[in-house]
């Protein structure tokens, strides 16, 4: 067997027919990253009959003195349970990359480590600890079973599985369902964007990531060619908000009057406690409805055509969707645009035959004291299961160059430290 460089088209043909494929191991993703600080190369291991037994996209970063390091995002595309094949591929890859001045290569395979319940406890089912042991045995360095976002890509993810016939909404947590209902009552609607919407999208997500506008423009151009990306916006329809608020106010006002009538008819009765409780609850609700009418009216005056309050970008691949990044205007948080966006997007693609919805990274620390507890709880509330991947591994290609690179990195970090730290 031998490692060879193949074309992007050859790689995509292999990936499309591979059982466990993912968006990050595609020519489209490689092309995108090639425009943003990396070079994309496509490698395959060919047997004596000319058949490809494994392949990978490798993103290459060039450092000082011509040194290079590589990253195979969610790769390789190989049968990790075939340890002989994995060892052969690793040996040949090391030889191939060593001739090309590589220091190391990182991988974070798209392989679940162990099955977990919604509380993060290990349960019976998947157990791929043998793959981890084998990778370490044949020379990979494991970064460990970290809990948060220390790796290049999250080790812990929230994934909702579904089908085209079930009632997905009923599976959500009570808190999520209430937020979605609230958004609907307040006139939130979902719009699909296009290439001309990228700047508006960026204005809503730019504080969540260091990526610049050009990254999203390139993403829309490159992935859009294969219909792999969609932008969605949450719009507050202020006219609809007024209409719905008035309808709710009038319904509650009628109910409140009916309770008043009931109370008057039973004023001399000894059994008015329950009626009074219902009256007090209705009074509070009626006042909230009145405030909503006032808020809706004021918003309509300011935004007569409505206002975009949130946005979300998703990746479509292999009948799965990936929530890439989302954002919303902080002043409109109470309208729950993020909840409504996720629900409507998931429900739409469920009907289109998509079976897995990736809500992206969560923390593996499920304690309420965790800094990411709110994020994790939010995503798991969408009927999501926990997927814990085996993690990130480093394959050292040239130990001398790798050690020099590590030492140089420490010096650079030291030089970048401020001379005086603020108190």
């Amino acid at each position: 067997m031998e490692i060879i460089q193949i074309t992007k088209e050859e790689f995509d043909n292999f990936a499309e027919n591979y059982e466990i494929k993912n968006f990050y191991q595609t020519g489209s993703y490689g092309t995108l990253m090639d425009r943003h600080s990396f070079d994309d190369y496509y490698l395959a291991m060919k047997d004596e009959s000319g058949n490809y037994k494994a392949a990978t996209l490798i993103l290459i970063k060039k450092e000082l003195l011509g040194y290079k390091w590589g990253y195979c995002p969610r790769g390789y595309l190989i049968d990790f349970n075939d340890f002989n094949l994995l060892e052969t591929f690793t040996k040949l890859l090391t030889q191939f990359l060593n001739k090309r001045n590589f220091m190391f290569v990182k991988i974070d395979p798209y392989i679940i480590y162990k099955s977990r319940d919604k509380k993060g406890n290990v349960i019976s089912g998947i157990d791929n600890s043998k793959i981890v042991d084998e990778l370490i045995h044949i020379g990979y360095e494991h970064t460990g079973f970290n809990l948060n976002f220390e790796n290049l890509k999250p080790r812990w993810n929230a994934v909702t599985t579904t089908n085209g016939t079930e009632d997905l909404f009923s599976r959500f947590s009570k808190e999520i369902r209430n937020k979605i209902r609230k958004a609907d009552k307040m006139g939130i609607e979902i719009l699909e964007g296009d290439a001309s919407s990228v700047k508006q999208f960026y204005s809503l997500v730019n504080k969540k990531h260091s990526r610049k506008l050009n990254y999203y423009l390139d993403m829309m151009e490159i992935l859009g060619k294969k219909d792999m990306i969609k932008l969605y916006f949450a719009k507050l329809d202020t006219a609809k908000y007024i209409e719905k608020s008035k309808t709710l106010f009038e319904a509650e006002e009628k109910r409140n009057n009916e309770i008043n009538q009931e109370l008057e008819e039973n004023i001399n009765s000894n059994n008015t406690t329950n009626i009074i409780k219902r009256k007090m609850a209705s009074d509070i609700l009626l006042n909230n409805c009145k405030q909503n009418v006032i808020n809706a009216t004021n918003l309509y005056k300011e935004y007569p055509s409505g206002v975009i309050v949130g946005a979300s970008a998703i990746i479509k691949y292999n009948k799965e969707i990936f929530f890439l990044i989302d954002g919303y205007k902080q002043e409109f948080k109470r309208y729950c645009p993020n909840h409504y966006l996720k629900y409507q997007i998931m429900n739409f693609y469920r009907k289109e035959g998509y079976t897995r919805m990736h809500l992206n990274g969560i923390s593996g620390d499920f304690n309420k004291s965790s800094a990411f507890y709110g994020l994790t709880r939010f995503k798991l509330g969408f009927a999501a299961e926990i997927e814990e991947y085996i993690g990130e591994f480093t394959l050292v290609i040239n130990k001398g160059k790798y050690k020099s690179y590590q030492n140089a990195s420490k010096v650079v970090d030291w030089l970048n430290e401020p001379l005086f730290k603020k108190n």
Side-chain angles (χ1 to χ4, degrees):
M1 294 199 190
E2 63 174 336
I3 296 288
I4 61 170
Q5 185 173 344
I6 60 177
T7 66
K8 189 175 303 184
E9 292 73 22
E10 289 173 322
F11 176 78
D12 277 339
N13 287 335
F14 178 86
E16 278 297 319
N17 294 297
Y18 201 75
E19 183 179 1
I20 307 176
K21 50 181 174 273
N22 68 89
F23 156 71
Y24 292 105
Q25 281 289 313
T26 64
S28 295
Y29 185 68
T31 301
L32 174 64
M33 298 309 293
D34 187 66
R35 292 191 188 180
H36 295 273
S37 303
F38 288 90
D39 293 327
D40 61 322
Y41 281 81
Y42 306 88
L43 304 178
M45 183 168 70
K46 184 174 67 172
D47 65 14
E48 292 76 9
S49 301
N51 299 314
Y52 296 158
K53 307 300 293 184
T56 188
L57 156 66
I58 178 169
L59 302 175
I60 299 171
K61 189 78 170 179
K62 296 177 181 177
E63 302 290 352
L64 295 174
L65 304 176
Y67 291 174
K68 304 172 189 173
W69 62 271
Y71 173 44
C72 303
R74 294 293 190 229
Y76 318 113
L77 298 183
I78 192 173
D79 181 0
F80 280 90
N81 287 298
D82 186 336
F83 293 164
N84 289 329
L85 184 70
L86 182 60
E87 185 171 4
T88 299
F89 181 79
T90 300
K91 180 180 178 180
L92 293 176
L93 181 66
T94 302
Q95 295 171 354
F96 183 91
L97 296 180
N98 191 38
K99 294 176 182 179
R100 290 156 178 83
N101 216 25
F102 275 74
M103 300 176 288
F104 62 92
V105 64
K106 287 183 174 289
I107 65 172
D108 46 10
Y110 187 42
I111 297 173
I112 294 174
Y113 178 48
K114 291 183 178 181
S115 295
R116 302 263 179 180
D117 64 20
K118 284 185 176 291
K119 294 183 179 180
N121 301 309
V122 175
I123 57 176
S124 60
I126 297 171
D127 184 354
N128 281 314
S129 53
K130 288 184 178 180
I131 292 178
V132 175
D133 294 340
E134 177 63 19
L135 284 167
I136 294 171
H137 173 70
I138 61 178
Y140 291 83
E141 296 178 2
H142 192 211
T143 58
F145 298 109
N146 53 289
L147 298 179
N148 294 314
F149 299 92
E150 299 88 346
N151 294 348
L152 292 171
K153 290 195 173 10
R155 200 174 76 83
W156 298 80
N157 283 259
V159 181
T160 300
T161 57
T162 183
N163 60 58
T165 59
E166 69 170 349
D167 178 12
L168 182 60
F169 181 81
S170 65
R171 291 175 53 200
F172 295 165
S173 70
K174 181 179 179 181
E175 181 182 2
I176 295 295
R177 294 198 307 269
N178 286 340
K179 296 282 189 181
I180 293 168
R181 291 190 187 105
K182 181 179 179 181
D184 186 65
K185 290 177 182 178
M186 289 181 162
I188 298 293
E189 61 182 17
I190 306 303
L191 306 175
E192 183 178 336
D194 54 28
S196 66
S197 312
V198 176
K199 288 185 179 180
Q200 185 174 33
F201 167 80
Y202 180 71
S203 71
L204 292 161
V205 303
N206 63 345
K207 292 182 180 179
K208 295 191 70 174
H209 204 285
S210 59
R211 295 189 182 106
K212 302 303 180 184
L213 174 61
N214 281 345
Y215 180 88
Y216 297 102
L217 290 169
D218 289 340
M219 177 180 285
M220 200 66 185
E221 175 199 336
I222 295 166
L223 304 187
K225 291 177 181 177
K226 294 192 174 182
D227 193 31
M228 293 171 67
I229 185 169
K230 292 290 183 182
L231 300 183
Y232 292 97
F233 294 90
K235 178 183 178 181
L236 175 58
D237 186 326
T238 50
K240 186 184 293 185
Y241 185 20
I242 289 179
E243 181 184 341
K244 290 197 172 193
S245 297
K246 285 182 177 179
T247 300
L248 291 171
F249 175 78
E250 290 167 0
E252 190 57 39
E253 186 178 42
K254 179 182 177 182
R255 178 171 173 270
N256 192 274
N257 290 335
E258 290 172 351
I259 297 174
N260 279 335
Q261 183 66 33
E262 184 182 356
L263 187 59
E264 288 179 10
E265 292 172 355
N266 293 275
I267 195 66
N268 296 320
S269 170
N270 294 324
N271 191 26
T272 59
T273 303
N274 184 53
I275 301 174
I276 292 172
K277 285 182 178 179
R278 286 190 288 118
K279 175 68 169 72
M280 293 173 65
S282 179
D283 285 345
I284 293 172
L285 189 55
L286 185 63
N287 183 62
N288 289 339
C289 289
K290 182 179 179 180
Q291 287 300 318
N292 279 337
V293 173
I294 294 171
N295 290 338
T297 303
N298 290 334
L299 280 170
Y300 181 76
K301 290 177 181 178
E302 188 173 359
Y303 306 103
S305 300
V307 56
I308 298 295
V309 296
S312 181
I314 68 157
I315 300 298
K316 301 160 48 187
Y317 184 74
N318 191 33
K319 284 301 178 182
E320 301 180 358
I321 66 166
F322 300 79
F323 284 92
L324 189 66
I325 190 169
D326 48 53
Y328 56 86
K329 292 183 177 179
Q330 192 64 34
E331 63 268 33
F332 291 97
K333 181 179 179 180
R334 65 184 291 264
Y335 299 92
C336 310
N338 201 10
H339 300 75
Y340 203 65
L341 269 166
K342 279 186 167 50
Y343 166 58
Q344 292 293 354
I345 291 169
M346 292 171 75
N347 203 40
F348 173 80
Y349 284 100
R350 173 187 66 83
K351 295 175 182 177
E352 293 291 309
Y354 287 74
T355 57
R356 284 168 57 83
M357 322 284 181
H358 295 254
L359 291 124
N360 217 319
I362 58 173
S363 170
D365 181 355
F366 301 96
N367 295 307
K368 291 184 178 180
S369 58
S370 166
F372 301 103
Y373 179 75
L375 173 71
T376 300
R377 183 184 176 197
F378 168 71
K379 292 185 178 181
L380 293 181
F382 287 89
E385 303 292 334
I386 296 168
E387 288 197 352
E388 177 196 13
Y389 302 133
I390 62 175
E392 190 173 285
F393 297 80
T394 300
L395 176 65
V396 177
I397 305 299
N398 186 299
K399 291 182 179 180
K401 292 176 181 178
Y402 181 53
K403 188 173 183 61
S404 297
Y405 172 76
Q406 287 181 310
N407 292 334
S409 296
K410 292 177 182 178
V411 172
V412 171
D413 290 342
W414 177 75
L415 290 173
N416 287 331
E417 286 185 1
L419 293 176
F420 301 100
K421 295 183 178 180
K422 294 182 179 180
N423 294 325

